[in-house]
Amino acid sequence: MSAPYGPLTACAEATANIAMVKYWGKRDSILNLPVADSVALCLDSFPTRVLVTQAETAQDEVIWSGRPVQPPQLGRFGRILALLRERSGLRCTTRTEVRPQLPDAVGLAGSSAAFAAFALAASAAFRVEMSERELSALARLGSGSASRSVPGGFARWHRGQQADGSDSFSERFASALHWPELRLLAVIVSRQPKPVSSTVGMIRTSRTSALFPLFADQCSRLAPEAQAAIEGRDFDRLARIAELSAQTLHGLCLTASPPILYVRQRTIELLELACDLKRSVPLFFTLDAGPNPIFVTLAPHDLSVSREILQRFPDVEILSCGVGGGVRVADPGPIRSPS
Ligand code: DP6
């Protein structure tokens, strides 16, 4: 890939993805190697744009939504940059600007979009040619779920067997066009930062919950089933799998020591509403490590589902998306800070 913006400058964008079979637990926490496969839908909306430029400073610098990123978060970028320096032979430092379209506080898997875009922008800036698989594995070093935002569409992240992570990457097994009727409604009940980050939460549960091995086995079993449900556009089958994976994740978190509780009162009320609504419309929910549920339905029911949610809970915000995404080179123009 050529970098059209001058020496060591490149810009890319990517969107978040929402797992139907959750990634939770690492067999290697430096390389972000998962204990099991996972399956996700990549969003078609709300891209995060990342600009990487050569810096004059002694250290790499990352500005995320206008604020400097500090260690240990900075180390996530450092792992990717270290690998690119080794591959390119270039030693210069970089300045990275991460500009999400959605505030991080909405908790919509923002790191998956940011690290997917960063992997492409940084590799283009360092002039390192990468296949999509390599790029997915590179993004994984920043945040595991970012590996799935690289291919976009309907993606499966392979656990892999190798200790160096070379076979742990995500692949698109169906394009967004495969199931254009699928709609995701992210219901924002809280913009507070979550009490325990995913990274810390998954380490704590894997170390302290006796149920963790069962959860990992379940993911390994559900991932091929979710792929088959998506390939067959079998909504009811996907609904059963996705709800089971999300419920098991939250049940698992409760059995950690100390327990982790991501849901709020309003989350539970919304899950009750989902159970009511699915008697009359195709609908299921999923829930990441936070209080904001995501309702999945089929067009044209998304509008009536949104209406029902807002009628019962006028204080929530709904972000509506389809499936799409896939990391791409972007025009850096609008990302520059106003001078
Ligand atoms: C609940 O990818 O954020 O969203 O690899 O430590 O950065 P790190 O974790 P992260 O975890 C995402 C967890 C999840 C489930 C999922 O997206 O599969």
Side-chain angles (χ1 to χ4, degrees):
M1 168 178 299
S2 66
Y5 316 120
L8 275 184
T9 297
C11 185
E13 67 179 29
T15 54
N17 66 82
I18 303 298
M20 301 290 104
V21 175
K22 305 294 182 189
Y23 148 55
W24 195 260
K26 310 187 191 207
R27 63 186 171 91
D28 183 315
S29 57
I30 302 293
L31 298 175
N32 286 335
L33 300 179
V35 292
D37 285 20
S38 55
V39 170
L41 317 181
C42 204
L43 305 183
D44 65 354
S45 314
F46 312 116
T48 291
R49 196 168 280 194
V50 175
L51 176 67
V52 178
T53 48
Q54 186 167 350
E56 305 298 324
T57 46
Q59 305 291 330
D60 293 310
E61 191 188 11
V62 180
I63 310 295
W64 189 310
S65 300
R67 277 192 293 276
V69 175
Q70 308 292 346
Q73 291 297 62
L74 195 57
R76 293 173 177 254
F77 293 86
R79 286 177 210 162
I80 292 176
L81 291 170
L83 195 139
L84 292 171
R85 288 199 177 94
E86 195 184 305
R87 286 270 297 258
S88 66
L90 296 172
R91 291 282 163 262
C92 56
T93 57
T94 55
R95 181 181 196 278
T96 295
E97 203 179 322
V98 179
R99 189 68 68 89
Q101 207 176 78
L102 281 180
D104 297 321
V106 302
L108 201 61
S111 68
S112 62
F115 283 104
F118 178 66
L120 177 57
S123 58
F126 278 88
R127 313 283 199 270
V128 175
E129 292 275 349
M130 291 218 162
S131 66
E132 192 173 89
R133 286 180 182 194
E134 287 179 307
L135 203 59
S136 170
L138 186 69
R140 189 200 72 227
L141 296 177
S143 184
S145 54
S147 72
R148 299 183 308 231
S149 280
V150 168
F154 299 87
R156 175 153 169 196
W157 177 11
H158 303 286
R159 172 196 192 277
Q161 303 298 328
Q162 302 298 327
D164 67 358
S166 50
D167 58 350
S168 183
F169 56 85
S170 298
E171 252 178 330
R172 185 178 53 251
F173 59 88
S175 84
L177 296 177
H178 169 70
W179 205 349
E181 300 83 11
L182 218 50
R183 302 295 307 169
L184 293 94
L185 304 171
V187 188
I188 311 303
V189 305
S190 165
R191 287 174 173 248
Q192 298 298 314
K194 48 193 171 195
V196 179
S197 72
S198 300
T199 310
V200 170
M202 59 179 89
I203 291 171
R204 189 189 298 172
T205 39
S206 62
R207 285 192 186 148
T208 64
S209 170
L211 300 187
F212 187 76
L214 296 177
F215 174 79
D217 283 355
Q218 187 194 64
C219 294
S220 305
R221 198 165 37 78
L222 290 183
E225 282 188 34
Q227 176 170 345
I230 290 168
E231 284 169 344
R233 296 171 28 127
D234 185 338
F235 189 86
D236 292 343
R237 189 176 176 198
L238 181 62
R240 277 194 302 277
I241 294 165
E243 289 191 351
L244 180 60
S245 184
Q247 288 168 247
T248 312
L249 167 64
H250 286 265
L252 177 74
C253 288
L254 273 182
T255 63
S257 176
I260 308 168
L261 182 58
Y262 286 116
V263 296
R264 302 276 179 85
Q265 181 65 34
R266 184 47 52 90
T267 318
I268 305 285
E269 289 164 356
L270 277 155
L271 299 190
E272 283 169 347
L273 175 62
C275 292
D276 280 354
L277 291 178
K278 68 181 156 184
R279 283 197 270 268
S280 49
V281 287
L283 180 84
F284 66 87
F285 67 82
T286 185
L287 197 53
D288 278 342
N292 300 326
I294 293 156
F295 285 20
V296 183
T297 186
L298 293 172
H301 301 286
D302 50 331
L303 293 178
S304 64
V305 170
S306 294
R307 260 199 312 271
E308 287 280 350
I309 297 171
L310 290 172
Q311 223 162 45
R312 295 255 201 119
F313 305 106
D315 53 331
V316 304
E317 188 186 340
I318 299 178
L319 304 170
S320 175
C321 313
V323 179
V327 71
R328 54 197 170 262
V329 169
D331 177 354
I335 194 177
R336 290 189 198 286
S337 309
S339 48

